[in-house]
């Protein structure tokens, strides 16, 4: 097995990589690993999602333990802390198959407490851990231009970087601190996204109540403090929500819950979380997050 250390790995070095979790984001991220010429094993809870990568040359494993066996790096892209814990530590989990010193790179968004807990548990099995959640949606994942916020030991993050730069824009792959810091930074970033989208939704609803012309509303929001979040919403206002969501309302709401689990005294986050829950209850949890302001504008309107 290759002993990964900072500076030893580059794009010409063929690594044995396992990628676990092939959802909207995980599948295109895993494709970059395969396209770079690395030896890739894949696993997904729903096996059908692994078939396309298997046809492209990846080894399809029957369990996380099987996928992790003999691998230099194991990458996780899963939905929540419970899924990560099950895949790492459950029956037939990564710890049952991975050799000592294997590097585990967790690209999931699970919060800093869970990341530190996973790192501690993996150390008991002599495994290394980097939390490296990504930001961006399916488009950037496909293009390899995601942002990456990495937390962990300096040498481990340096060893992970060549893989992180396969799905992340190298200029946006940042080592932000020790274990858990990547997850913490991701929550702060998505907190601002949730608040911005909820703020735009309130603005659109008030503007509709006041009968303001659409072009005036467009100009006011775009030029104001929430303008950075508005271009994607503006596109949906013009063309309607995308058929395939890049980042769903439910996933954003999950991240807001993680924020509140870490720090309960966040009243605006609590309000935004309530908006997400209400959208879910109204059947819009799987909508793209950029459509959330439109739902807020129109909810309960005949």
């Amino acid at each position: 097995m290759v002993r990964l250390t900072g500076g030893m790995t580059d794009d010409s070095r063929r690594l044995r990589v396992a990628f676990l979790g092939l959802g909207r984001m995980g599948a295109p991220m895993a494709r970059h690993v395969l396209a770079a010429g690395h030896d890739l094993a894949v696993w997904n809870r729903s096996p059908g999602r692994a078939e396309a990568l298997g046809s492209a040359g990846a080894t399809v494993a029957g369990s996380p333990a099987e996928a992790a066996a003999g691998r230099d790096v194991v990458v996780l892209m899963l939905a929540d802390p419970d899924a990560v814990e099950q895949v790492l530590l459950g029956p037939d989990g990564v710890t049952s198959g991975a050799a000592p010193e294997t590097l585990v790179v967790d690209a999931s968004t699970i919060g800093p407490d869970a990341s530190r807990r996973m790192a501690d548990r993996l150390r008991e099995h002599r495994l290394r851990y980097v939390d490296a959640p990504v930001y961006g949606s399916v488009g950037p994942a496909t293009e390899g231009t995601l942002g990456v916020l990495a937390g962990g030991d300096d040498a481990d993050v340096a060893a992970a970087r060549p893989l992180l730069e396969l799905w992340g824009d190298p200029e946006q792959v940042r080592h932000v601190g020790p274990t858990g810091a990547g997850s913490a930074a991701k929550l702060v970033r998505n907190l601002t996204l949730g608040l911005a989208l909820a703020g735009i939704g309130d603005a659109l609803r008030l503007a509709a109540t006041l009968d303001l012309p659409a072009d005036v509303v467009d100009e006011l929001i775009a030029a104001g403090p929430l303008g950075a979040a508005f271009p994607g919403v503006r596109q949906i206002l013009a063309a309607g929500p995308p058929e395939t969501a890049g980042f769903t309302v439910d996933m954003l709401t999950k991240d807001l819950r993680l924020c509140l689990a870490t720090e309960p005294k966040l009243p605006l986050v609590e309000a935004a979380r309530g908006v997400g829950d209400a959208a879910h209850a109204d059947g819009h949890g799987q909508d793209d997050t950029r459509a959330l302001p439109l739902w807020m504008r129109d909810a309960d309107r005949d």
Side-chain angles (χ1 to χ4, degrees):
M1 174 172 290
V2 175
R3 175 65 167 92
L4 289 173
T5 57
M8 287 183 62
T9 306
D10 57 37
D11 289 342
S12 66
R13 186 77 170 272
R14 194 166 191 253
L15 298 173
R16 292 165 292 184
V17 180
F19 205 107
L20 313 180
L22 303 172
R24 290 185 181 92
M25 301 289 286
M29 291 165 64
R31 284 191 176 278
H32 290 300
V33 178
L34 195 61
H38 298 298
D39 180 357
L40 180 66
V42 295
W43 173 87
N44 193 74
R45 192 178 304 275
S46 303
R49 290 187 175 179
E51 291 175 0
L53 282 161
S55 298
T59 299
V60 178
S63 70
E66 182 184 331
R71 298 285 141 177
D72 305 309
V73 188
V74 176
V75 183
L76 280 69
M77 188 60 179
L78 301 169
D80 54 42
D82 289 343
V84 169
E85 183 167 4
Q86 181 68 18
V87 167
L88 287 177
L89 303 170
D92 288 327
V94 169
T95 54
S96 299
E101 301 303 316
T102 300
L103 177 62
V104 175
V105 176
D106 189 1
S108 319
T109 301
I110 62 173
D113 291 343
S115 291
R116 288 188 286 265
R117 185 170 69 253
M118 291 303 101
D120 289 343
R121 294 294 305 277
L122 291 181
R123 272 193 291 270
E124 297 171 4
H125 296 269
R126 295 175 57 198
L127 302 179
R128 303 148 67 198
Y129 178 88
V130 167
D131 57 297
V134 301
Y135 60 88
S137 59
V138 174
T142 303
E143 296 161 2
T145 58
L146 292 166
V148 183
L149 299 164
D153 177 83
D154 288 350
D156 291 343
V157 173
R161 182 174 286 273
L163 284 179
L164 303 181
E165 291 183 355
L166 292 178
W167 53 77
D169 177 348
E171 294 185 0
Q172 298 298 323
V173 176
R174 300 183 58 193
H175 183 191
V176 295
T179 301
S183 295
K186 175 64 183 296
L187 290 189
V188 170
R189 188 184 190 280
N190 276 13
L191 176 157
T192 64
L193 173 63
L195 297 186
L197 292 173
I200 291 170
D202 273 357
L204 292 177
R205 189 174 183 95
L206 178 61
T209 299
L210 296 173
D211 253 349
L212 281 175
D215 60 334
V216 172
V217 176
D218 183 288
E219 179 183 345
L220 288 172
I221 297 177
L226 300 178
F230 191 58
V233 177
R234 178 188 291 170
Q235 181 180 6
I236 287 179
L237 284 168
E243 291 184 8
T244 301
F247 183 47
T248 68
V249 171
D250 281 347
M251 292 301 292
L252 176 60
T253 306
K254 180 265 297 183
D255 291 351
L256 296 179
R257 287 198 190 94
L258 289 173
C259 292
L260 292 165
T262 303
E263 171 50 73
K265 295 181 179 179
L266 299 171
L268 296 182
V269 175
E270 181 64 51
R273 192 272 314 157
V275 169
D277 285 345
H280 173 90
D282 200 30
H284 293 278
Q286 292 302 303
D287 288 358
D288 191 280
T289 51
R290 293 169 297 168
L292 184 62
L294 280 69
W295 174 83
M296 293 177 66
R297 179 194 65 188
D298 300 331
D300 299 324
R301 290 185 183 275
D302 296 326

